[in-house]
Amino acid sequence: MLSQTPLIIVAGAKGAVGSTVAAAVAALRQDTGMVLPWLTTSQFFEHAGPLRDVEFAGWDSSERSLREALEHHRVLPPEHYLAHGEYLDRVMIRQAPPHGLILREQVERLRSDITDFKGLYPGTHPVLVNLLPACREADLSECRSLGMLYAQADAALFPDLAYVLAAISEGVPVVNFTSNTVESPLVADEAVKTRVPLCGRDAKTGQTYLKVVLASALKARGLQVDGWYSLNILGNEDGKNLMDPGRGAGKLANKTELLDEILGYKVGERYGVPTHKVVIDYYPPRGDCKEAWDVIDFAGLFGLPMSLRLNLQARDSVLAAPMAIDLAWWMVCLHMAGRSGPVPELGFYFKKPVGVNPPVTFQDQLDELGRLSSFCLGKTNG
């Protein structure tokens, strides 16, 4: 299916997820069987030639090497990355733009870096994957032109924006894995003008993914959800960052709002208050091994109450990294097929998918992936 090698360019390349993606890319280059079974795109596309030649590059503010980052985050046992040390050591990771630069200066610097990446990896198809930490909400909806955006947006408070603008300007598709709202109407319009696809927002890796599955199943059986309590405890940098209420607000909203969207009613309306509660707590002993607890109260025939308990013990970055690779390949396929602007059909991967009328229930999301793959295959093979 793919006739070009993907180049995954990561903003936040040395974070827990970014460094895990790098290790997975290195493993793919050595033996596709080490990673391919965990990629959902393997159900839709043949990954023959270009898969083994996938490349990784990006930016980070850390001075650590990629190997040191993997050791620091302790996501993977050493045997899963030390064997790939030669590749990891030659990956090009550029320093993130300093905070003192204004937005336009940051964009120009990043555009230059993207040009260098393309030169270093000729013949590849670059895709930006945004893995930066959650930041405070920034309302960019009133910006009607790039001039207004450059004048009003504070790059220091919203660093994602510079990466996204630079990528779109260079004709590079964008994956917004984060909960940060970068897909303003203006940014979406610019993506259409430059003919690049973009997708996001806020990848659902564990608890929220299962919430979509269970909520869709309860809805299909006509079982009324009376309340849903979700607790997340995690001890990585993401968990620490989300303890700032301003930074965590978007993530909590995305986790909460999708349940009502799936069910078609507000959970707790008979009580007069919402009874869908989502809590995130930073708990250092867990590290990257996130634990999630769900208590689900629902009613069946004659309104008789029932309850379900779910306990998920997961490795956050190990779940996230294959999704980031999947989405990079989707962007390559879609770009080659001529899609541009937001791609709501990729709602399977996100808590708050951007675009018009994204699929909501689990089955609808799977169906849309099938239709999207048929579109890509038809365009590129036709």
Side-chain angles (χ1 to χ4, degrees), residues 143-158:
C143 295
R144 304 300 181 190
S145 68
L146 283 177
M148 288 181 64
L149 190 62
Y150 283 125
Q152 296 181 17
D154 188 338
L157 298 178
F158 196 19

Side-chain angles (χ1 to χ4, degrees), residues 26 88 92 145 190 193 213 229 359:
L88 294 172
M92 180 183 280
S145 68
E190 288 299 313
K193 289 177 185 177
V213 174
Y229 179 86

